[in-house]
Amino acid sequence: MTDMELAEKAVEMLKYSYAPYSKFHVGAALLSKDGKLYTGCNVENAAYGPSNCAERTAIFKAVSEGSREFEAIAIAGGPEGKVKDFCPPCGVCRQVMSEFCKKDFRIVLIDGKKNLKTFTLGELLPESFSL
């Protein structure tokens, strides 16, 4: 799967986002080393703390189904579900990625003009706390 195909899957996930409070919708598509695709979207809650980001939804889904080795994740997001700018992962998601992904894990971002930016986890979280 190309990075663009992965990013387009992330954009597709925006329609499932539940973001009545922030109105900021996010979709993610996670590619495992064995080629399986896991998707996720953000799910908000009035108490905020129980809310979950799209990236963590995809990772937790994959882990709960037995997958532990990942190649890349694509993330798309924007106000009212319209992708305008790049939407990098929050700090909590970066830390969760560091639990399950290696430093060369790719993080693919897409903007509203279908431009891609790709980072490694090592670039976005250079001094991660992990085992």
Side-chain angles (χ1 to χ4, degrees):
M1 176 172 278
T2 68
D3 284 354
M4 182 57 79
E5 291 170 326
L6 194 62
E8 288 170 348
K9 290 288 184 188
V11 171
E12 284 178 32
M13 291 307 298
L14 292 170
K15 65 185 170 193
Y16 300 111
S17 169
Y18 179 74
Y21 306 102
S22 72
K23 308 280 191 253
F24 197 91
H25 299 257
V26 182
L30 175 68
L31 182 64
S32 68
K33 291 272 187 187
D34 64 3
K36 288 181 83 174
L37 183 67
Y38 300 91
T39 56
C41 63
N42 59 323
V43 180
E44 294 181 349
N45 186 281
Y48 288 107
S51 296
N52 203 48
C53 297
E55 303 93 305
R56 284 183 283 140
T57 298
I59 292 168
F60 294 161
K61 185 189 299 185
V63 169
S64 72
E65 293 180 21
S67 192
R68 296 286 192 283
E69 294 186 14
F70 306 106
E71 189 172 315
I73 193 167
I75 307 161
E80 302 296 335
K82 292 175 180 46
V83 178
K84 294 180 181 178
D85 295 320
F86 297 107
C87 181
C90 73
V92 173
C93 287
R94 293 175 196 205
Q95 182 60 43
V96 169
M97 288 176 197
S98 78
E99 183 73 22
F100 295 103
C101 307
K102 297 188 181 335
K103 295 278 187 197
D104 63 349
F105 174 75
R106 291 188 335 276
I107 299 163
V108 180
L109 309 177
I110 187 168
D111 71 5
K113 296 179 183 175
K114 296 201 178 216
N115 295 307
L116 299 180
K117 273 190 182 179
T118 303
F119 301 91
T120 65
L121 179 59
E123 290 172 322
L124 291 185
L125 192 64
E127 298 297 327
S128 65
F129 177 79
S130 60
L131 297 175

